[in-house]
Amino acid sequence: MALTEDSAFESRIGKGTKASGKLNFRGPVKIEGEVEGEISGDEVMIANGAVVSARISAGRVTIAGAFSGEVTARERVELMATARAQCTISTPNLVLNEGAQFDGDCKMPRNKIAA
C-alpha cells in the first residue's frame, strides 16, 4: 500500500490524539497521532509525524512515521522514505524505500503467516 488517499481509510487516529491499549480495526486505519499498546487489523498506516510504540498484527502495514515495537504482517510491510523504525518485523514481503531508517530484525517466511 503506497500512500493511499485519505478516503480509503475507514478509521483514523488524528494528530493531537493519544491512544493506548488494545486497538482492533476491521477496515483500513490511518494513525496520525500517538499510539501505545497492541494494534490489530487488516491494513495499518502509520503516517508521517505519527509516533507509535506497539505490537502490530495485520495483513499489510505501511510506516511513514516513527515506530518502535514489533510487526507481524501476513502480506507485506512497507517503510516509506520518512519512516524511522526500531523494531522486529516478520512478513513475507518487505519494501524499504530510499531514505527509510530501519534498526532491528526481520524474518521473512516463504509462506504467508497467520497474524
Side-chain angles (χ1 to χ4, degrees):
M1 166 180 93
L3 291 176
T4 309
E5 290 183 32
D6 284 348
S7 61
F9 296 99
E10 295 177 13
S11 299
R12 176 186 314 266
I13 296 176
K15 289 181 182 179
T17 302
K18 291 184 180 182
S20 64
K22 284 188 173 184
L23 305 172
N24 299 306
F25 299 95
R26 289 184 184 256
V29 61
K30 185 173 188 178
I31 299 170
E32 298 171 322
E34 297 180 36
V35 176
E36 186 177 306
E38 293 183 29
I39 302 169
S40 64
D42 180 50
E43 190 169 344
V44 177
M45 165 65 174
I46 299 172
N48 189 11
V51 178
V52 178
S53 177
R55 175 178 288 157
I56 298 176
S57 176
R60 293 173 303 283
V61 178
T62 302
I63 301 171
F67 175 75
S68 63
E70 185 178 319
V71 176
T72 302
R74 292 181 299 276
E75 295 175 26
R76 74 182 259 156
V77 173
E78 182 171 3
L79 273 62
M80 306 306 290
T82 55
R84 305 297 174 255
Q86 187 170 7
C87 59
T88 300
I89 297 174
S90 180
T91 183
N93 297 299
L94 176 65
V95 178
L96 290 173
N97 287 284
E98 186 174 347
Q101 292 180 4
F102 171 59
D103 179 17
D105 297 316
C106 181
K107 294 179 183 171
M108 299 180 69
R110 291 178 187 225
N111 300 326
K112 289 186 179 180
I113 51 182

